[in-house]
Amino acid sequence: MKGLEVAEKYYQAYGRKMLEEQFASIKGQTAVGLAGYGSECFGFDDDISRDHDYGPSFCIWLPEEVYREYGPKMQAAYDALPKDFMGFAGRIEEEQGKGRVGVLCLESFYKEIIGRAAVPQTDVEWLAIPEEMLATAVNGKVFADHLMQFSHIREGLMQYYPHGVWIRKLADSMAKAAQAGQYNYARAMKRGERIAAELALTEFVKESMHLVYLLNKTYAPFYKWMHRGMQGLLVCSEIGDMLNLLYQIPDPAAAWEGVTAADYVYNLNTNDGRVLIIEAVCNILVQELNAQGLSDLQDNFLQNHIGAVLGKLQG
């Protein structure tokens, strides 16, 4: 059973009764759920991730004024709840994991994650927030929200980027993916600069995954969860399997032996399987750009679609 499901059952078994019996006068000002930091909030928890900052728990979010008056008392009641639940041991927290669950100030929760306790209003405000923090702010699940203040902010963030921000982020990621995978990887291999080539490959993988999230209008999570999170996306999710293949290809160094500066300037070294996969990934991305009406070009070089995409800024 995933941690998010355990959390909801734990709340239903103990937390709801605690609020109803001990804090009936302010229950209508609470929001309850599990969201924020932690693999369980994304549904990615497994046996490896359960060694720290894990166990039956949930969050109770209170508006700042209510939190000041009732927070400590409610936290004491929360701490008194049974620790072990449904075969899961009580939560063990490391120092940096403290304050992620229990009774939390609603405004502080959002301020810590996205730097503000309200939905951004301008493009500049949106762009100032790291995308993985937006993913963190809207993950998990709200079990109950009586006041709806917490959910109002959450739902505003879940509406996704304004159109202009989305277009600019698409264009930026396309430029980085094209430069790293379709341009610099081959140039580094021609020079025999293997570290530079591996860095270019990694940058391409990261940016191509980011493009998949952007094309799904879904915030990309912290880098270690990006690939796993692609499994639940609706479009271009097959790119995740293709990227896996990049790291299963035997050392491609032999494909570049004897290559001169004049070779593979305007064509591809198809002897390198990585090049083939990079181009296949870009082809799927181009098809999706076409399908979403963001470009009508058929060119496989992502860089050449940037102008068409930026032309949609007023769309």
Side-chain angles (χ1 to χ4, degrees), residues 24 76 116 120 208:
R116 56 191 299 115
S208 60

mmCIF file of all heavy atoms in Angstrom, residues 24 76 116 120 208:
data_model
loop_
_atom_site.group_PDB
_atom_site.id
_atom_site.type_symbol
_atom_site.label_atom_id
_atom_site.label_comp_id
_atom_site.label_asym_id
_atom_site.label_seq_id
_atom_site.Cartn_x
_atom_site.Cartn_y
_atom_site.Cartn_z
ATOM 1 N N ALA A 24 -13.742 20.902 17.755
ATOM 2 C CA ALA A 24 -14.981 21.100 17.006
ATOM 3 C C ALA A 24 -15.203 22.563 16.636
ATOM 4 O O ALA A 24 -15.722 22.871 15.554
ATOM 5 C CB ALA A 24 -16.167 20.568 17.814
ATOM 6 N N ALA A 76 0.003 18.895 19.848
ATOM 7 C CA ALA A 76 0.131 17.970 20.981
ATOM 8 C C ALA A 76 -0.879 16.838 20.859
ATOM 9 O O ALA A 76 -0.563 15.665 21.140
ATOM 10 C CB ALA A 76 -0.068 18.720 22.294
ATOM 11 N N ARG A 116 5.482 32.192 -1.755
ATOM 12 C CA ARG A 116 4.341 33.093 -1.631
ATOM 13 C C ARG A 116 3.121 32.308 -1.185
ATOM 14 O O ARG A 116 3.045 31.098 -1.399
ATOM 15 C CB ARG A 116 4.065 33.810 -2.956
ATOM 16 C CG ARG A 116 3.855 32.852 -4.113
ATOM 17 C CD ARG A 116 3.844 33.533 -5.486
ATOM 18 N NE ARG A 116 2.775 34.485 -5.576
ATOM 19 C CZ ARG A 116 2.947 35.799 -5.717
ATOM 20 N NH1 ARG A 116 4.166 36.300 -5.781
ATOM 21 N NH2 ARG A 116 1.935 36.621 -5.791
ATOM 22 N N PRO A 120 0.586 33.114 -8.265
ATOM 23 C CA PRO A 120 1.275 34.197 -8.978
ATOM 24 C C PRO A 120 0.326 34.921 -9.929
ATOM 25 O O PRO A 120 -0.557 34.301 -10.523
ATOM 26 C CB PRO A 120 2.376 33.456 -9.747
ATOM 27 C CG PRO A 120 2.589 32.196 -8.979
ATOM 28 C CD PRO A 120 1.249 31.815 -8.438
ATOM 29 N N SER A 208 14.563 16.739 -22.805
ATOM 30 C CA SER A 208 13.514 16.034 -23.554
ATOM 31 C C SER A 208 12.417 15.562 -22.607
ATOM 32 O O SER A 208 11.219 15.614 -22.943
ATOM 33 C CB SER A 208 14.096 14.855 -24.346
ATOM 34 O OG SER A 208 14.710 13.903 -23.498
#
